[in-house]
């Protein structure tokens, strides 16, 4: 397999991780071994655009490398905070899981039941 073909088969998540390492090298974001210190991610609009340009620049031929197109499209995954806000936690804490799931199952059964009855018999 040649280098170009290998390059186009790198998963987009790996492309994003490599780009993030390169991006951190271009900004004042030195590596800190203290786990309490959050590593630097693109924050401003300009930093996010620069990050996308960096990903695009890592591509050998963007038209033939879907993985790089995916990396550019999914670049936001690099800087989003996956934590749930306090407001959402408050709403989720109010939900009774047992009632919620029972209602969801009943609703699905109602939908499935009506769908089955509308299918003509052969």
């Amino acid at each position: 397999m040649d280098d170009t073909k290998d390059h186009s088969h790198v998963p987009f998540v790996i492309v994003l991780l490599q780009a993030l390492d390169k991006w951190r090298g271009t900004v004042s974001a030195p590596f800190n071994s203290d786990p309490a210190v959050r590593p630097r991610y693109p924050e401003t609009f300009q930093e996010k655009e620069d990050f996308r340009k960096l990903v695009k620049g890592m591509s050998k031929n963007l038209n033939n490398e879907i993985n790089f197109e995916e990396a550019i499209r999914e670049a936001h995954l690099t800087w989003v905070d996956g934590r749930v806000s306090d407001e959402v936690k408050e709403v989720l804490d109010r939900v009774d899981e047992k009632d919620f799931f029972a209602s969801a199952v009943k609703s699905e059964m109602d939908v499935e039941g009506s769908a089955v009855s509308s299918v003509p018999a052969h």
Side-chain angles (χ1 to χ4, degrees), residues 4 11-12 21 23 36 44 65 72 105 121:
T4 304
F12 81 89
D21 282 344
W23 179 83
T44 66
E65 295 178 321
I72 293 167
V105 168

Side-chain angles (χ1 to χ4, degrees), residues 6 8 22 25 28 33 41 46 53 55 60 62-63 70 82 85 87-89 99 101-102 109 117 120-121:
D6 287 343
S8 66
K22 286 184 180 185
S28 57
S33 60
Y41 297 93
Q46 187 59 51
K53 288 177 187 173
V55 173
K60 292 183 179 183
L62 191 59
N63 295 328
E70 288 175 324
S85 70
E87 294 83 7
V88 172
K89 284 181 187 176
D99 289 342
F101 287 115
M109 289 174 69
S117 63

